[in-house]
């Protein structure tokens, strides 16, 4: 027992608890359950002690205290159950039931309602003396959720979640006495309020007073545990299934990633699963039109055309694009289809569009291109440096962890050209000019070195290349960095000092760092900061890229990349090839293949003849969409395997209807390297097939024998060939996923990387300097355009645009513009603006906001009818060929 531990007795059981723990928490740690309604144990917040159901008896106390608000004291003797306590609790429940509907048998929450549970447990059988009845009121204009006052017991859990955890404050207590209710501000619809529709109030509501619209009137649904299909956080959730249809999503606390919490997409973004636009039959283009075909016709045609093209032009005239939305097992098979069945290394996926610079940059610096630490470590960090990441919108659950860290006393530094939400709670906001990240990073490094804040012992024992790095950084004093990046020199100094002096300093970034022509160098620059300070190889620190799609980490792990085999084993290394040649019974090419960027350019030059795309939409996702359409139009064969007829599928020669995440088994790997299960909950519509079955069928038709009975069998083959995954199998991740590296079946997985030793041995300092974006403003294009994602949509919008509530909340494209710039144009907030770059022009609605600095505009990427990628520049990172989506020169005019 430490000096800060306290011993007490609860129900004759001796319990040891940390000082400051409440009696409720101490009892729970000992497996003793105390009835409670207003207190939510998973909320890291002060209790309200409002319901008085959790009162306990404490020897020597004048009256029973609420255990949720009573701190433990050395020698305290507590009783949680007695006749007197039962009478108090019975009275509490009777009062709550007095104006509560007595319709338990027909209520949607039957069997799950905590009020019902405690009424039964306390033996309350008689109907209580009723107060004035509470009228049922559900908000009529809430597209995804509603509030039923008649079921509400005013426990305040939803208010606590919204105000203190989400820190949004959309709901509060309103009215007095029997007229009290929980609500949004009067006169404002939920849709137009500050409510983000996360539904975390639903997760904590004990009586079902707050509920999802689609779940009302549906009870007894089966629950299938799976992994969310949106961002890379990898939230665990239960798909609620009734009559072969997903009718809702619920959560439980028994997972280390998200607990009960979800964002709006995770909670309500499931309607696309049974949307009428789903592809249900194969399509072949005949006489210029896509027409229905049988599977035998479609796959037979694809196989024969690929065989012909290979015979005439060689295997490298064929390319394959795999999918970050598909499972690990399916990504593994795409790589095998490319390398074993066709004979080419031309395989890539959407990491090329987003985090390829992460994979390359961190591999150069550390030897491993992945997030170094775990999501669960974030609340314990001392300093968080968030750069190029709108975390609360792109990765909302990580955003919750950052908010929790700040409540715990952490210092938050945010570097972003816009005033994103996190700047509201940041200690330091560094509003850099777009594309000047390295100037800021090197300026911070200069301060750390010049003021003696570097970790000399760590540099000496665990790194190399320091001298060359120091020479470059010496040339970047804060004043010079300030001239380039636009951040005051003193703020650069403050940020550098805070980060360097932390015990546990953690860096978080996303595409604001990677989607530049210097994206890989930006990543290496951030790695330099961790090597300089020693903030890597320990808990709550490191460099933490937040991956954008549900399985973009896994797609890379599986070898859906042109230069590596599964498990990041270089294709150019003979020993690696020999291992896979023996397992796959083929001879493999030793020449690294083409990236997506290379493939599109080769298609435009008519050197690439065929392209097979699984689960991606390059017309929407790649820069300079006009060029992409032209390039794809020059192919002899374009095959798209998809769940919807997306913009790329519309111009395909063959379209193969696939299954979504809810219609198949497999695994996803989240941003923290955690391999987690997905499980089949419903059948795919019509004749749509699971993607892995389509790939196996095609391999066999191409003359390469493939025979798998399940995704588990595919995973086993992959793990047997990939040492860092060898210890992971389906039985070990049945309940909770494991983080790689996990080299053996008795290995617990790796919570954080590089403890004691980097994957490459010594961490490598890199010499990287600022370079200007590929396009700069001029008189014709005087504004800087940047693009990104929003809370309510996901990447190219294929799925979320088909969820009614999400699309109603964010129905059209828009352009954020500073009011000063809008006034110069003669425009007004809400008017339609025409945004033009050297590549194209689109129209979007003006959103006047001071979140945007003058001289800059920002647009989301989700809207096919007004696609921001018609405008983005096809200039690329010099190492990974990732496009510069974050900076383009633009002109804005009033359209109408």
């Amino acid at each position: 027992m430490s000096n800060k531990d306290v011993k007490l007795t609860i129900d004759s059981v001796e319990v040891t608890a940390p000082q400051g723990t409440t009696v409720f928490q101490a009892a729970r740690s000992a497996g003793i359950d105390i009835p409670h309604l207003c207190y939510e144990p998973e909320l890291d917040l002060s209790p309200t002690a409002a319901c008085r159901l959790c009162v306990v008896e404490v020897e020597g106390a004048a009256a029973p205290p609420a255990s949720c608000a009573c701190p433990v004291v050395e020698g305290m003797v507590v009783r949680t159950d007695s006749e007197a306590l039962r009478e108090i609790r019975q009275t509490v429940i009777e009062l709550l039931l007095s104006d509560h509907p007595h319709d338990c048998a027909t209520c949607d929450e039957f069997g799950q309602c905590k009020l019902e549970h405690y009424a039964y447990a306390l033996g309350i059988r008689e109907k209580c003396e009723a107060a004035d009845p509470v009228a049922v009121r559900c908000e009529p204009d809430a597209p995804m959720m509603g509030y039923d006052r008649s079921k509400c017991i005013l426990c305040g859990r939803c208010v606590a979640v919204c105000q203190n955890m989400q820190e949004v404050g959309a709901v509060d207590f309103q009215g007095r006495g029997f007229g009290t209710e929980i609500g949004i501000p009067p006169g404002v619809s939920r849709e137009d309020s500050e409510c983000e529709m996360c539904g975390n109030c639903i997760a904590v509501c004990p009586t079902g007073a707050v509920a999802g619209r689609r779940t009302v009137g549906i009870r007894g649904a089966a629950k299938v545990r799976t992994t969310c299909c949106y961002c890379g956080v990898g939230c665990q959730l239960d798909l609620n299934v009734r009559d072969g249809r997903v009718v809702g999503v619920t959560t439980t606390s028994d997972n280390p990633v998200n607990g009960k919490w979800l964002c709006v997409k995770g909670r309500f973004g499931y309607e696309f699963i049974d949307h009428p636009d789903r592809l249900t039959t194969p399509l072949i283009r005949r006489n210029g039109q896509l027409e229905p075909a049988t599977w035998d016709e479609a796959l037979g045609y694809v196989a024969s055309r690929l065989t012909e093209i290979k015979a005439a032009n060689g295997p490298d005239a064929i390319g394959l694009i795999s999918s970050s939305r598909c499972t690990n097992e399916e990504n593994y098979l795409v790589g095998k289809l490319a390398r074993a069945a066709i004979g080419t290394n031309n395989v890539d996926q959407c990491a090329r569009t987003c985090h390829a610079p992460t994979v390359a940059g961190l591999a150069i610096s550390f030897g491993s291109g992945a997030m170094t630490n775990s999501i669960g470590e974030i609340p314990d960090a001392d300093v968080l440096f968030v750069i190029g990441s709108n975390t609360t919108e792109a990765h909302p659950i990580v955003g919750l962890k950052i908010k929790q860290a700040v409540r715990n006393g952490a210092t938050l530094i945010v570097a972003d050209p816009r005033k994103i939400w996190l700047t509201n709670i940041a200690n330091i906001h560094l509003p850099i000019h777009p594309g000047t990240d390295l100037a800021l990073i090197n300026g911070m490094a200069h301060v750390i070195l010049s003021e003696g804040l570097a970790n000399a012992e760590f540099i000496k024992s665990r790194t190399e290349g320091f001298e060359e790095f120091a020479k470059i950084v010496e040339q970047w004093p804060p004043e010079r960095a300030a001239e380039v990046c636009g951040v005051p020199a003193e703020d650069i100094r403050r940020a550098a000092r805070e980060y360097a002096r932390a015990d546990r300093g953690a860096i978080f970034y996303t595409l604001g760092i990677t989607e530049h022509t210097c994206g890989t160098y930006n990543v290496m620059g951030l790695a330099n900061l961790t090597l300089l300070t020693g903030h890597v190889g320990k808990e709550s620190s490191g460099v933490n890229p937040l991956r954008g799609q549900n399985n973009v980490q896994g797609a890379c792990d599986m070898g859906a990349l042109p230069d590596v085999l599964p498990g990041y084993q270089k294709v150019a290394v003979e020993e690696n090839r020999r291992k896979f040649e023996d397992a796959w019974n083929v001879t493999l090419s030793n020449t690294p293949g083409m990236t997506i960027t290379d493939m599109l350019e080769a298609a435009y030059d008519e050197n690439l003849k065929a392209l097979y795309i699984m689960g991606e939409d390059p017309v929407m996702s790649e820069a300079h969409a006009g060029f992409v359409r032209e390039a794809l139009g020059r192919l002899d064969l374009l095959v798209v395997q998809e769940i919807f007829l997306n913009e790329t599928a519309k111009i395909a020669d063959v379209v193969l209807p696939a299954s979504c995440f809810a219609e198949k088994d497999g695994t996803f790997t989240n941003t923290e390297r955690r391999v987690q299960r997905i499980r089949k909950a419903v059948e795919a519509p019509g004749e749509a097939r699971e993607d892995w079955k389509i790939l196996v069928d095609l391999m066999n038709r191409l003359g390469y024998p493939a025979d798998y009975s399940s995704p588990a069998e595919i995973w086993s083959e992959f793990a047997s060939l990939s040492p860092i995954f060898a210890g992971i199998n389906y039985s070990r991740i049945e309940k909770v996923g494991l983080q790689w590296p996990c080299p053996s079946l008795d290995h617990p997985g790796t919570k954080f990387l590089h403890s004691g030793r980097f994957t490459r041995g010594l961490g490598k300092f890199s010499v990287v300097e600022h370079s200007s974006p590929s396009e700069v403003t001029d008189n014709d294009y005087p504004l800087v355009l940047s693009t990104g994602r929003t809370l309510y949509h996901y990447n190219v919008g294929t799925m979320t645009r088909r969820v009614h509530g999400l699309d109603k909340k964010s129905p059209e494209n828009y352009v954020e513009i500073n009011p000063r710039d809008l006034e110069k144009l003669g425009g007004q907030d809400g008017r339609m603006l025409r945004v033009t770059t050297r590549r194209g022009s689109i129209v979007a609605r003006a959103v006047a906001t001071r979140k945007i600095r003058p001289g800059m505009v920002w647009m989301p990427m989700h809207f096919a009818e007004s696609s921001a990628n018609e405008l983005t520049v096809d200039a690329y990172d010099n190492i990974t060929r990732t496009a510069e989506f974050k900076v383009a020169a633009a002109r804005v005019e009033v359209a109408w």
Side-chain angles (χ1 to χ4, degrees):
M1 187 174 77
S2 72
N3 293 332
K4 294 184 178 180
D5 284 343
V6 171
K7 281 189 174 181
L8 68 158
T9 302
I10 305 177
D11 293 345
S12 302
V13 177
E14 188 173 279
V15 178
T16 300
Q19 192 173 33
T21 299
T22 65
V23 170
F24 184 98
Q25 292 167 331
R28 185 173 179 166
S29 70
I32 299 170
D33 181 57
I34 300 176
H36 59 285
L37 281 173
C38 69
Y39 181 57
E40 170 52 60
E42 276 201 58
L43 280 174
D44 182 35
L45 302 168
S46 299
T48 61
C51 73
R52 312 305 293 178
L53 197 65
C54 72
V55 293
V56 294
E57 293 176 347
V58 177
E59 284 191 4
S67 62
C68 66
C70 178
V72 297
V73 176
E74 182 67 33
M76 177 184 275
V77 177
V78 178
R79 284 182 295 278
T80 70
D81 191 21
S82 70
E83 188 60 35
L85 291 174
R86 287 180 66 83
E87 288 183 8
I88 293 172
R89 290 168 182 158
Q90 283 175 333
T91 300
V92 170
I93 296 299
E94 286 173 350
L95 287 171
L96 291 173
L97 288 172
S98 68
D99 65 348
H100 194 82
H102 292 260
D103 60 352
C104 293
T106 57
C107 178
D108 295 337
E109 288 295 298
F110 179 71
Q112 302 176 83
C113 173
K114 295 197 75 172
L115 183 63
E116 171 204 332
H117 167 77
Y118 289 129
Y120 183 85
L122 292 167
I124 299 173
R125 301 290 185 267
E126 300 294 325
K127 184 175 181 179
C128 307
E129 190 67 32
D132 292 336
V134 176
V136 176
R137 183 180 69 80
C138 285
E139 290 142 5
D141 55 357
M144 289 175 275
M145 53 192 291
Y147 169 64
D148 185 344
R149 172 62 184 93
S150 70
K151 296 181 181 179
C152 179
I153 60 173
L154 302 175
C155 65
R157 285 186 179 192
C158 57
V159 176
V161 166
C162 190
Q163 294 190 354
N164 303 322
M165 188 188 79
Q166 291 287 141
E167 300 187 33
V168 173
V171 299
D172 204 345
F173 291 97
Q174 296 176 8
R176 296 182 179 181
F178 283 108
T180 305
E181 61 181 25
I182 307 293
I184 53 181
V188 180
S189 69
R190 186 182 292 272
E191 181 186 344
D192 295 328
S193 73
E194 294 297 313
C195 178
E196 296 178 350
M197 306 283 185
C198 66
N200 287 328
C201 52
I202 296 174
V204 298
C205 180
T207 63
V210 190
R213 282 294 198 186
R214 194 163 170 174
T215 62
V216 173
I218 295 177
R219 195 174 72 185
K223 295 184 178 182
V224 180
R225 175 62 54 88
T226 193
T227 303
C228 182
C229 64
Y230 287 108
C231 82
V233 173
C235 293
Q236 297 297 282
L237 51 84
D238 293 333
L239 293 177
N240 291 207
V241 180
R242 181 77 178 270
D243 298 328
R245 181 170 176 252
V246 176
V247 296
V249 165
T250 51
T251 51
T252 58
S253 58
D254 57 348
N255 74 83
V257 178
N258 59 299
K260 288 184 177 180
W261 318 126
L262 291 172
C263 76
V264 61
K265 294 187 291 293
R267 181 88 53 191
F268 297 113
Y270 56 83
E271 288 181 10
F272 77 89
I273 296 170
D274 56 13
H275 195 279
D277 287 350
R278 284 290 302 273
L279 291 168
T280 59
T281 186
L283 303 171
I284 296 178
R285 189 171 299 278
R286 298 185 177 106
N287 300 317
Q289 301 295 319
L290 286 170
E291 298 178 353
T294 66
W295 274 105
D296 190 57
E297 288 175 322
L299 287 178
Y301 179 76
V302 171
S304 65
R305 290 293 290 125
L306 289 175
T307 301
E308 291 168 3
I309 290 169
K310 177 180 175 180
N313 303 280
D316 290 333
I318 301 169
L320 295 91
I321 298 177
S322 199
S323 177
S324 299
R325 291 190 288 121
C326 291
T327 66
N328 285 321
E329 294 76 11
E330 289 158 351
N331 278 281
Y332 174 79
L333 288 184
V334 170
K336 190 172 183 180
L337 169 62
R339 293 180 165 114
I342 296 173
T344 182
N345 286 313
N346 292 341
V347 58
D348 204 3
Q349 35 81 27
C350 84
R352 191 65 47 197
T353 309
C354 53
H355 271 290
T358 287
V359 177
L362 292 184
I364 291 168
S365 300
F366 300 154
S368 178
M371 184 172 174
T372 60
N373 289 66
S374 298
I375 294 168
E377 299 172 35
I378 296 172
D380 296 321
D382 296 326
V383 172
L384 304 101
F385 180 25
V386 179
I387 179 169
S389 168
N390 189 3
T391 321
T392 57
E393 295 208 31
H395 301 88
I397 299 305
V398 172
L400 289 184
K401 297 290 186 181
I402 292 174
K403 294 173 187 178
Q404 184 181 354
V406 173
R407 292 196 298 271
N408 291 344
T411 296
L412 175 61
I413 304 164
V414 176
D416 198 286
R418 298 192 296 159
K419 292 179 182 177
I420 59 173
W421 191 95
L422 283 180
T423 64
N424 296 326
I425 61 171
N427 301 85
I428 304 171
H429 176 211
L430 308 173
I432 63 172
H433 295 310
T436 62
D437 305 272
L438 267 177
L440 171 66
I441 293 165
N442 282 345
M444 290 176 63
H446 182 283
V447 173
I448 293 168
L449 276 175
S450 64
E451 296 188 6
L453 301 175
N455 189 328
E457 176 55 34
F458 187 91
I459 293 169
K460 179 181 178 181
S461 63
R462 296 204 53 192
T463 72
E464 63 182 356
F466 172 72
E467 290 76 14
E468 294 81 2
F469 160 77
K471 290 177 184 177
I472 290 296
V473 168
E474 188 178 345
Q475 302 170 24
W476 282 94
E479 288 72 19
R480 182 188 176 195
E483 290 177 3
V484 175
C485 72
V487 176
E490 189 52 38
D491 287 348
I492 296 174
R493 289 190 175 90
R494 287 174 58 214
R497 291 165 184 160
E498 291 283 357
Y499 175 72
R501 289 170 177 163
D503 289 329
R504 298 179 300 279
I507 295 173
F508 301 89
Y509 72 88
T510 57
L511 310 190
I513 282 292
T514 60
E515 288 184 341
H516 293 278
T517 52
C518 56
T520 303
Y521 287 170
N522 285 344
V523 172
M524 293 157 71
L526 292 174
N528 285 342
L529 286 182
T530 67
L531 297 176
L532 191 60
T533 57
H535 291 331
V536 65
K538 58 184 181 180
E539 288 197 47
S540 302
S541 62
V543 182
N544 300 286
L546 304 176
R547 306 307 287 264
Q549 297 200 50
N550 55 297
N551 199 33
V552 66
Q553 180 65 58
C556 295
D557 298 345
M558 297 300 114
L561 293 167
D563 59 337
V564 294
L565 294 159
Y568 299 100
Q569 299 170 84
K570 291 287 186 182
V571 73
V573 176
E574 183 179 354
E575 181 182 355
N576 296 338
R577 290 197 312 279
R578 188 178 301 120
K579 176 170 64 173
F580 282 88
E581 286 173 343
D582 290 344
W584 291 352
N585 195 30
V586 293
T587 299
L588 297 177
S589 169
N590 64 355
T591 305
M594 289 189 275
T595 66
I596 291 177
T597 307
D598 297 327
M599 291 185 216
L600 292 173
E601 291 178 348
Y604 185 87
D605 294 335
E606 300 185 3
N607 294 321
L608 189 77
K609 303 296 183 180
L611 187 59
Y612 189 107
I613 301 174
M614 178 181 76
E616 294 295 341
D617 189 2
V619 169
M620 278 290 291
S621 64
E622 302 305 308
H624 192 181
F627 173 83
V628 175
R629 277 191 297 269
E630 176 68 23
L632 296 178
R634 298 185 181 192
L635 291 165
D636 292 344
L637 177 67
L638 175 60
V639 182
V640 175
Q641 183 172 313
E642 251 294 348
I643 62 174
F644 293 107
L645 194 68
N646 62 26
E647 298 305 301
T648 304
K650 289 175 182 178
I651 61 173
D653 299 295
V654 181
V655 179
L656 305 175
S659 55
C660 76
F661 83 113
E663 298 156 355
K664 57 191 173 186
D665 293 311
T667 57
F668 292 158
T669 304
N670 78 345
T671 191
E672 61 176 356
R673 297 167 283 104
R674 189 182 300 275
V675 182
Q676 302 181 113
R677 284 294 315 277
I678 69 163
R679 296 174 177 85
K680 185 174 182 177
V682 294
E683 296 295 331
E687 297 177 37
R689 289 185 181 179
E690 294 159 81
D691 295 79
W692 69 271
K693 291 183 177 179
I694 300 172
L695 297 169
V696 168
D697 194 340
L698 181 57
M699 278 194 275
N700 281 299
R701 289 171 184 266
L702 288 170
Y704 181 82
D707 182 20
Y708 298 99
S709 61
S710 68
E713 185 179 349
I714 301 168
W715 175 271
S716 295
E717 178 179 304
F718 157 75
S720 71
L721 296 167
S722 307
I724 61 175
F725 295 91
I728 301 176
N729 58 35
Y730 272 39
S731 62
R732 291 195 71 195
I733 60 172
E734 182 61 28
K735 292 185 178 180
V736 178
L738 286 168
Q739 293 169 274
W740 64 261
C742 184
S744 62
L745 290 175
D746 59 353
H747 193 283
T750 304
K751 184 177 181 181
F752 60 90
L753 300 176
H754 314 306
S755 176
R757 183 182 185 277
F758 288 99
T759 305
R760 70 181 300 277
L762 295 175
K764 179 178 175 58
F765 280 100
S766 301
V767 176
V768 288
E769 285 201 83
H770 165 74
S771 59
S772 297
S774 62
E775 224 175 50
V776 296
T777 58
D778 57 23
N779 291 334
D780 292 328
Y781 300 95
L783 301 175
V784 173
L785 167 67
S786 191
T787 65
R789 68 200 298 187
T790 67
L791 177 63
Y792 298 102
H793 289 298
Y794 169 72
N795 284 21
V796 298
T798 304
M799 298 185 296
T800 52
R801 295 295 306 282
R802 291 175 170 88
V803 176
H804 171 70
L806 296 177
D807 204 47
K808 188 174 181 183
K809 187 75 174 178
S810 181
E812 63 180 351
N813 204 1
Y814 58 90
V815 52
E816 291 185 349
I817 184 169
N818 187 274
R820 188 189 309 173
D821 289 331
L822 187 58
E823 185 179 353
K824 289 179 183 177
L825 298 173
Q828 295 176 327
D829 187 38
R831 291 282 297 275
M832 300 306 291
L833 301 180
R834 183 172 299 281
V835 185
T836 304
T837 68
R838 293 179 176 90
R839 288 150 299 282
S841 179
I842 62 173
V843 173
R845 193 169 299 279
V847 174
T849 174
R850 287 183 171 81
K851 292 192 303 183
I852 289 285
R853 64 198 306 158
M856 178 184 176
V857 293
W858 185 92
M859 300 184 74
M861 57 175 289
H862 315 297
F863 301 90
E865 67 274 19
S866 176
S867 174
N869 280 332
E870 299 287 349
L871 310 177
T872 47
V873 58
D874 44 350
Y876 303 103
D877 176 66
N878 61 332
I879 293 176
T880 64
R881 306 219 70 203
T882 296
E884 187 156 55
F885 294 91
K886 299 306 180 190
V887 182
R891 177 175 69 249
V892 178
E893 304 156 298
V894 175
W896 58 79

